[in-house]
Amino acid sequence: MSNQENVQEAMLGNEPATEQPSAETPAEHVIDTLPSIEEQLRGLELKAAEHYDAWLRAKADGENIRRRAQEDIAKAHKFAVEKFAGELLAVKDSLEAALAVPEQTVESFRSGVELTLKQLVSAFEKNALIEVNPVGEKFDPHKHQAIGMVDSDQEANTVVTVLQKGYLIAERTLRPALVMVAKGK
């Protein structure tokens, strides 16, 4: 190492500069305190290998997280209806039981249908399936589908008749209500 390089190393904050041997100083008295280039290279290679290993591990962790998330989404799609289907099984059982009765009266048949309807409404409520029956409300194209307009004493664009109820699931329209709307006067 030249004297100029030695001074530059000292200025950069590395090991303090050592005196270079002069013609008067024997070489065995000079102690080289700087690591050799090979040692520096080995140290840098080790650090690079550590960083590369850490990067590979982080990349693998990211891939595992992505894969698990995709599996969770697939399972959620596959089994999302499971709870609702379980609630509907009781309704089906009630309908089958009503049909299995050999001699039915109109009153017993009616009461059985009413109980089955209550089970169905309960299943809808438990699963956030909300009925839309907008008689007297303002027409909302997001929740209603107008079939026609009729003359009425009500304000224009007010729902006069509901031909088929609509349904919302989690505040989203599953089926719009089919309605007749009041004409303007």
Side-chain angles (χ1 to χ4, degrees), residues 59-77:
K59 182 179 175 186
D61 286 345
E63 288 295 317
N64 287 338
I65 290 169
R66 185 189 57 77
R67 181 185 47 78
R68 276 190 231 116
Q70 285 178 336
E71 288 173 1
D72 290 346
I73 289 169
K75 285 179 185 175
H77 284 203

Side-chain angles (χ1 to χ4, degrees), residues 48-158:
E50 287 175 25
H51 289 256
Y52 182 72
D53 184 52
W55 174 78
L56 281 178
R57 288 177 190 275
K59 182 179 175 186
D61 286 345
E63 288 295 317
N64 287 338
I65 290 169
R66 185 189 57 77
R67 181 185 47 78
R68 276 190 231 116
Q70 285 178 336
E71 288 173 1
D72 290 346
I73 289 169
K75 285 179 185 175
H77 284 203
K78 187 175 180 180
F79 298 111
V81 75
E82 184 176 17
K83 179 182 172 194
F84 185 61
E87 296 288 333
L88 290 181
L89 291 177
V91 175
K92 182 181 182 290
D93 291 342
S94 294
L95 289 171
E96 287 174 344
L99 292 174
V101 174
E103 294 182 28
Q104 297 182 24
T105 63
V106 174
E107 291 80 28
S108 67
F109 189 74
R110 180 176 179 80
S111 67
V113 169
E114 287 172 351
L115 288 174
T116 304
L117 181 60
K118 285 180 185 179
Q119 285 179 320
L120 184 61
V121 169
S122 173
F124 284 3
E125 288 173 354
K126 289 178 183 176
N127 291 281
L129 187 61
I130 300 165
E131 186 177 281
V132 176
N133 190 4
V135 174
E137 295 178 11
K138 276 293 211 188
F139 176 75
D140 180 356
H142 299 290
K143 296 179 182 176
H144 313 140
Q145 181 177 351
I147 299 300
M149 298 185 91
V150 294
D151 291 324
S152 174
D153 294 336
Q154 296 182 1
E155 188 178 325
N157 291 328
T158 301

Side-chain angles (χ1 to χ4, degrees), residues 18-19 27-34:
T18 58
E19 280 193 37
E28 63 266 0
H29 293 297
V30 177
I31 299 172
D32 191 9
T33 58
L34 294 177

